[in-house]
Amino acid sequence: MKSINMKTLWITADDALARLGTKPQTLYANVSRGRIRAKPDPTDPRRSLYHADDVQRLAERHSGRRHTAAVAAQAIRWGDPVLPTTISSIAGGRLLYRGRDAADLSGAAALEDIAILLWETPGVVVKAFGCVMTGRSRLAAALGDLAARVADDLPALGRNPAVLRTEAADVLSTVAAGLAPWPDPIPLHQRLALGWHRPDAAEPIRKSLVLAAEHELNVSAFAARVTASSGAALSAAALSGLATLTGPRHGGAWLSVTRLAGQAGSIGVREAIRAMLSSEGAVRAFGHQLYPHGDPRAKIILESFEIPALYGLLVKAGEDLLGEPPNIDFALAALAATFDLPQDAPLVIFALSRTVGWLAHAMEQVESGQLIRPRASYAGS
């Protein structure tokens, strides 16, 4: 049987420099800034290998004269930073919330504590709502409840920041009512664990909520900021973020992980990876563009419980065959599998957590007073 050829994913420094047409110092600078992923060469630990796709992307960006329109277009697609923010940053393989390491915060903080930090407010009270069975999924309930309040909520523009922060807590309460319904005002991670009848899952859920709360200018955060820049209500910004999160290339990426695990259980880990590479051209369970040496969020989550044997085999295969460690989508899917949580649990955890980040971005955008309105480059006849 023909083996999987993974060598094209990683190239030597000489090859990278030839494609980039730059000096070694520039290559190392791009690695340190997270623009090019690198890993030790298994045949010579003193040397490094560089991710071919990252190198090619930068080579194409810098080829020829960089017109303003070309720079702007590249910035939208995993390009250079385009919006100033004080909420979070990703640098040197670390995720920072207002300058504090999210990995350290996950040691003891709850999601409510992260809201206090990101919103820069003295306290956050998330109201409790009873478990009302409506026949809707949790995600559908959150989407419907947010949409119902959008028409009644006041526009965010021109209002006192302290008032907006109080309203943000109310919007988070609305989302929590759909995603984590519980009659008592206990921390959100406990509401989820008890609502799923898995109290032993509370601790890894807590860590997951903290680590997924914010991640710079991801597509759902950008959607929330665009909505907020129009002056719309905070609930509208959160609704935009939640709708964007449902996409298979964002919050829905965990489905790819469960499909991979299902195939691995049937045909074997190696063949499952081969099949996904053939059908999708990528295995989304592994690697992250912003973390050349591995997603630190996934590492912390996976260390908080004993993963099933099948998922352990997948972790090893991902590193051996793809040269990539698991990412947060893999970690959330493994969490759901370990504690036998509902099928949509990864998306529920992600959505509840990320609502805190969306609201932080919405309020920062409103306070900037700027409208996000890029120009289009017409490509028709």
Side-chain angles (χ1 to χ4, degrees):
M1 185 177 293
K2 186 178 179 181
S3 63
I4 301 175
N5 182 8
M6 298 297 173
K7 294 182 180 178
T8 56
L9 286 176
W10 298 93
I11 58 178
T12 64
D14 290 340
D15 290 337
L17 291 172
R19 297 189 190 187
L20 291 169
T22 59
K23 298 178 180 179
Q25 295 91 328
T26 305
L27 173 62
Y28 305 147
N30 281 316
V31 171
S32 65
R33 292 169 184 164
R35 294 173 181 168
I36 296 178
R37 283 169 283 181
K39 70 171 187 176
D41 187 337
T43 63
D44 186 353
R46 296 171 298 175
R47 301 178 181 272
S48 295
L49 298 178
Y50 302 89
H51 203 280
D53 289 345
D54 296 345
V55 172
Q56 186 63 29
R57 175 174 52 82
L58 279 183
E60 291 174 355
R61 182 191 305 178
H62 293 294
S63 62
R65 184 179 176 185
R66 295 190 72 199
H67 295 289
T68 302
V71 174
Q74 287 291 341
I76 292 176
R77 298 190 298 271
W78 288 99
D80 294 325
V82 295
L83 280 175
T85 182
T86 62
I87 298 170
S88 73
S89 63
I90 301 168
R94 299 166 66 207
L95 171 61
L96 306 175
Y97 294 165
R98 295 202 183 276
R100 299 182 61 182
D101 197 319
D104 294 338
L105 291 169
S106 70
L111 181 60
E112 293 86 338
D113 300 318
I114 303 304
I116 290 172
L117 173 64
L118 296 183
W119 300 353
E120 296 186 311
T121 186
V124 171
V125 176
V126 183
K127 300 174 186 175
F129 296 88
C131 304
V132 180
M133 301 303 294
T134 63
R136 297 185 296 173
S137 70
R138 294 190 178 208
L139 181 64
L143 286 165
D145 292 346
L146 276 176
R149 65 177 291 167
V150 166
D152 294 327
D153 286 354
L154 291 176
L157 204 61
R159 298 170 65 194
N160 185 284
V163 173
L164 285 182
R165 280 152 177 74
T166 300
E167 185 166 304
D170 196 54
V171 172
L172 179 58
S173 298
T174 295
V175 174
L179 298 178
W182 193 255
D184 303 317
I186 56 178
L188 289 169
H189 62 277
Q190 294 181 11
R191 300 186 201 187
L192 282 174
L194 293 176
W196 285 326
H197 308 290
R198 295 292 185 272
D200 53 336
E203 181 62 10
I205 289 175
R206 180 192 64 76
K207 289 181 179 290
S208 300
L209 289 174
V210 168
L211 292 166
E214 165 59 12
H215 207 234
E216 200 210 56
L217 200 60
N218 54 80
V219 291
S220 57
F222 186 66
R225 288 192 81 118
V226 170
T227 301
S229 77
S230 74
L234 292 183
S235 55
L239 180 60
S240 294
L242 184 56
T244 305
L245 187 73
T246 62
R249 297 175 69 179
H250 192 22
W254 61 272
L255 285 170
S256 177
V257 183
T258 58
R259 284 198 302 271
L260 176 65
Q263 285 188 310
S266 300
I267 62 176
V269 169
R270 186 182 180 85
E271 289 306 311
I273 289 179
R274 181 197 299 277
M276 188 159 284
L277 283 173
S278 300
S279 61
E280 301 183 22
V283 184
R284 295 188 177 89
F286 305 98
H288 195 289
Q289 193 106 354
L290 296 178
Y291 300 110
H293 304 293
D295 190 338
R297 304 168 299 171
K299 185 175 186 294
I300 293 171
I301 294 170
L302 291 173
E303 287 176 349
S304 67
F305 56 88
E306 185 175 350
I307 65 174
L310 178 61
Y311 280 81
L313 292 174
L314 284 171
V315 169
K316 187 176 187 307
E319 294 176 342
D320 292 345
L321 300 178
L322 304 174
E324 299 281 10
N327 54 32
I328 193 171
D329 300 307
F330 181 96
L332 292 178
L335 169 62
T338 300
F339 293 96
D340 193 24
L341 303 180
Q343 183 182 18
D344 63 347
L347 183 57
V348 169
I349 293 171
F350 209 156
L352 180 60
S353 174
R354 195 55 62 85
T355 300
V356 170
W358 297 329
L359 290 167
H361 278 284
M363 289 185 285
E364 185 178 66
Q365 188 64 42
V366 168
E367 291 168 17
S368 76
Q370 297 179 350
L371 175 69
I372 299 176
R373 205 307 191 177
R375 294 295 308 280
S377 176
Y378 180 65
S381 60

